[in-house]
Amino acid sequence: GDPDYWYAFAGDPDRTVGERPATPFTDIAGRKLEADITWVYQAGIMDGCSASRFCPTDTLTRGQLAGALAAGLGLPPSSRDYFADDDGHRYEDAINRLRAAGLTRGCGDGSYCPQQSVRRGALASALALALSLPASSRDYFDDDDGHRHEAAINRIAAAGIATRCGDGNYCPDSRVPRERAAQFLKRAFD
């Protein structure tokens, strides 16, 4: 695409610029999902693991997913602190925004577990809920039959968000690399 077209930043639809800024990431050049990483960064949905790195092969954490969903949905701030285990965490505000919107209950026992890895099945459920995707009567993958996230996986597949993990499978219990999360999030919010 043309880098000179106008676009709106996620979370601030009134702010537009004439040219998308380049990413500061030194570790994405030539990667298969470089364009998706660039898109989510430029849209303000995902940031890097540092000022100059995206860490594409690192596993997405629950805190990072909260940050991406809160930004992508443009959720309003919350004055309430819902979870004790995220106090002072980089994504504490985003986590509280998600909870205030009814998009998370945490990981149990009043905790959010912001450093816990996100698995593909849980990512499907988070996206299906956040985007209010309708149910799907089609079963898209064989390897999720009977899985607790199967309905959500089918919902994001019907919406064109889901990606296969190989051999026509979804791999619901596999951890989500950050670059793959960028692909899912671009498909969800673009």
Side-chain angles (χ1 to χ4, degrees):
D2 178 8
D4 294 323
Y5 63 90
W6 290 85
Y7 72 100
F9 278 89
D12 188 358
D14 297 324
R15 180 176 173 207
T16 57
V17 296
E19 186 175 322
R20 289 185 165 187
T23 71
F25 308 130
T26 60
D27 59 351
I28 65 168
R31 298 205 59 91
K32 180 180 176 185
L33 300 175
E34 180 180 358
D36 296 311
I37 294 166
T38 300
W39 190 91
V40 295
Y41 171 75
Q42 293 171 339
I45 294 172
M46 272 185 94
D47 52 9
C49 62
S50 74
S52 62
R53 296 181 58 232
F54 186 78
C55 302
T57 60
D58 284 5
T59 301
L60 181 74
T61 66
R62 288 175 49 86
Q64 292 165 351
L65 178 58
L69 291 177
L73 296 168
L75 296 178
S78 172
S79 59
R80 185 167 171 195
D81 184 15
Y82 291 93
F83 305 104
D85 69 331
D86 68 349
D87 290 349
H89 192 277
R90 176 179 180 182
Y91 295 106
E92 180 180 10
D93 178 62
I95 293 165
N96 288 326
R97 289 172 188 236
L98 272 188
R99 177 65 184 99
L103 298 176
T104 187
R105 292 186 309 263
C107 61
D109 296 328
S111 297
Y112 184 78
C113 305
Q115 292 304 117
Q116 188 176 73
S117 296
V118 175
R119 299 192 184 266
R120 289 173 56 95
L123 177 60
S125 288
L127 289 171
L129 178 62
L131 300 172
S132 301
L133 297 177
S136 173
S137 59
R138 181 174 168 194
D139 184 11
Y140 287 84
F141 307 101
D142 293 333
D143 71 327
D144 67 348
D145 291 347
H147 197 279
R148 69 184 183 126
H149 296 290
E150 182 180 11
I153 293 166
N154 288 327
R155 289 166 63 190
I156 69 165
I161 298 169
T163 64
R164 299 183 186 281
C165 62
D167 297 326
N169 292 322
Y170 183 78
C171 304
D173 295 318
S174 294
R175 289 182 173 92
V176 183
R178 285 174 46 84
E179 65 185 347
R180 186 64 63 187
Q183 182 184 41
F184 275 72
L185 292 163
K186 181 186 183 294
R187 289 178 176 194
F189 292 113
D190 188 13

